[in-house]
Amino acid sequence: MSTILSPKKILVVPLDWGLGHATRDIPLIHEMLNAGCKVFIAAEGKHAALLQQEFPDITIFPLPGYRIQYAQKGKFFGLKIIQQIPKIIGAIKHEQRWLQKIVKEHQIDAVISDNRFGLYHKDIPTVFITHQLLIKTPFGGWIERTLQRINYSYIRKYSACWIPDFEGDNNLSGELAHPAALPAVKTTYLGCLSRFEPQENVQKKYDLLVLISGPEPQRSNLEKMVITQIKDLRITALIVSGKPGTPQQEEIAPGVTQVNHLNATELNKAMLASDMVLSRSGYTTLMDLAKLDKKAILVPTPGQSEQVYLGEYLMEKGYFYSLPQEKFQLKTALEQAAKFPFKSFQLQDMTRYKAVVQDFIKSL
């Protein structure tokens, strides 16, 4: 008699720093469901709401995030994060105790942790996802080396490390995910992780799509600058203000529409229908731009060392045009971007992650 195998149970837990970790896990979850796995998610707040909307049939366990607070001024960003390290360590200890209990109660077969440090387990395979093997700070030097040692000491507790980026020189993250030495654990590059899909023959609708995101007050600062400056330009544009939960749309100038939020399908379409995108240099947004082969002007969030580094690195490599917020002039940025010799990521394999997930499931 043949035995009917029960589906493998996989727990997926994204970090609660911005929505990017939750959105980049969506293609991985789809791949697990396609392979017949039973997926559980652990999250809270807007991350849980976003994933529940995408996967209405999946059970979501409430698990507190790290709840990191941001500095009001960019120059204090790194210091504010360092002050919260004791709180983060407390959250890591809590999620480790929580995991032991959940694995036992629900017979979990494997865990995928997107940048959460306490979700390793001695009895089952656990995967740590990160594009930040080297963590950038405004202070550089020994502080970055110390943080990397701490980072690696946690990553080594996992069975494997998955990196959402391309291997080799033509990559999105530079030394963040391609440091001099990798952690002493099985490490695999996933390629690009984006929930968006290219489509053929999408009609152009906008000269510019503006995606405003990130922590306050910098989100509002950029929004005000864009709205003030765009009124003097003769372009068609859509501004997405990054305020989910408050649906609102208005025409702020001839040909310029502002909306508070777009769902994934609408945002996918808007990106494809735009000649140029203006956005922060958040890593998930960069993967979306690469996947859809979009030209973009990047304005890194002031004080966020990772975003500042990514903006400078990707401009130097020729993939995107980038400028700091304090020098932001929309008219000049559009003129400079029009002359910029944009390179494309389209020669890269955009489906690499599928084979990695399938191999992982077969190994369970």
Side-chain angles (χ1 to χ4, degrees):
M1 266 180 72
S2 62
T3 337
I4 298 172
L5 295 173
S6 58
K8 296 296 179 187
K9 296 178 180 177
I10 303 179
L11 172 66
V12 179
V13 193
L15 181 69
D16 63 325
W17 182 311
L19 287 172
H21 293 273
T23 56
R24 76 185 188 186
D25 293 337
I26 288 171
L28 296 176
I29 295 168
H30 277 302
E31 204 54 39
M32 292 171 211
L33 293 172
N34 290 343
C37 297
K38 183 174 173 62
V39 178
F40 297 94
I41 296 170
E44 67 171 349
K46 59 187 180 182
H47 304 81
L50 181 141
L51 290 166
Q52 194 76 79
Q53 190 179 4
E54 185 75 25
F55 303 105
D57 299 328
I58 285 183
T59 299
I60 298 187
F61 301 127
L63 176 64
Y66 295 171
R67 300 179 185 176
I68 291 162
Q69 293 168 331
Y70 304 94
Q72 290 293 303
K73 291 193 174 150
K75 62 181 178 180
F76 298 125
F77 189 90
L79 191 62
K80 182 81 172 172
I81 301 302
I82 286 167
Q83 284 173 345
Q84 294 173 84
I85 286 175
K87 179 175 86 169
I88 295 167
I89 290 168
I92 291 167
K93 286 177 179 169
H94 169 76
E95 65 191 9
Q96 175 58 208
R97 291 191 300 269
W98 175 89
L99 182 69
Q100 303 300 324
K101 187 163 154 279
I102 285 288
V103 166
K104 205 171 173 182
E105 281 177 12
H106 295 271
Q107 285 88 51
I108 302 292
D109 294 300
V111 179
I112 310 283
S113 165
D114 191 336
N115 234 121
R116 292 190 63 150
F117 294 101
L119 295 165
Y120 50 88
H121 196 287
K122 63 181 174 58
D123 298 329
I124 60 171
T126 57
V127 176
F128 188 83
I129 298 177
T130 186
H131 67 276
Q132 282 189 289
L133 294 170
L134 177 70
I135 298 167
K136 284 279 172 192
T137 75
F139 316 110
W142 68 271
I143 289 184
E144 283 182 8
R145 289 193 295 274
T146 304
L147 283 175
Q148 189 180 36
R149 278 199 296 273
I150 296 166
N151 197 21
Y152 279 20
S153 72
Y154 279 110
I155 294 172
R156 283 197 301 269
K157 296 174 192 282
Y158 288 78
S159 321
C161 178
W162 289 354
I163 301 169
D165 195 6
F166 308 110
E167 208 164 358
D169 286 340
N170 297 323
N171 61 65
L172 273 161
S173 64
E175 64 180 351
L176 299 185
H178 302 78
L182 293 172
V185 67
K186 189 187 174 190
T187 304
T188 309
Y189 288 89
L190 294 175
C192 200
L193 270 192
S194 170
R195 59 188 167 151
F196 295 149
E197 291 297 336
Q199 292 161 26
E200 293 295 315
N201 306 317
V202 175
Q203 197 175 353
K204 193 204 116 175
K205 204 171 169 186
Y206 309 108
D207 298 316
L208 180 67
L209 170 66
V210 181
L211 303 177
I212 296 170
S213 61
E216 295 292 4
Q218 299 300 347
R219 190 208 64 80
S220 292
N221 291 347
L222 182 60
E223 182 181 48
K224 282 175 200 151
M225 290 164 87
V226 168
I227 289 170
T228 305
Q229 295 176 28
I230 207 166
K231 289 176 180 176
D232 299 328
L233 305 179
R234 288 187 175 179
I235 59 171
T236 53
L238 177 65
I239 301 169
V240 183
S241 290
K243 295 192 282 190
T246 49
Q248 192 181 327
Q249 180 171 328
E250 61 175 319
E251 192 172 14
I252 59 166
V256 180
T257 304
Q258 182 185 15
V259 296
N260 275 349
H261 177 69
L262 292 181
N263 65 32
T265 308
E266 292 164 338
L267 189 53
N268 195 154
K269 279 184 188 161
M271 286 180 84
L272 291 169
S274 305
D275 269 350
M276 182 75 68
V277 178
L278 187 149
S279 72
R280 294 299 194 191
S281 47
Y283 195 68
T284 303
T285 303
L286 297 176
M287 289 196 288
D288 293 339
L289 292 167
K291 174 92 175 275
L292 297 181
D293 198 21
K294 300 309 295 182
K295 294 176 180 176
I297 298 165
L298 305 177
V299 186
T301 302
Q304 280 204 26
S305 303
E306 177 206 351
Q307 286 201 15
V308 172
Y309 169 77
L310 287 169
E312 290 170 356
Y313 166 76
L314 290 164
M315 183 162 169
E316 194 180 304
K317 295 281 274 190
Y319 289 115
F320 301 112
Y321 181 78
S322 180
L323 76 163
Q325 188 168 297
E326 60 268 24
K327 292 184 181 169
F328 180 76
Q329 284 295 330
L330 182 55
K331 185 171 183 288
T332 311
L334 287 168
E335 287 167 355
Q336 293 298 323
K339 294 184 263 182
F340 190 74
F342 287 98
K343 282 163 66 179
S344 166
F345 281 101
Q346 289 308 294
L347 293 174
Q348 300 278 12
D349 179 5
M350 293 289 171
T351 59
R352 166 107 180 91
Y353 71 91
K354 295 187 177 188
V356 176
V357 173
Q358 285 161 13
D359 288 347
F360 178 69
I361 292 164
K362 282 177 198 160
S363 74
L364 297 178

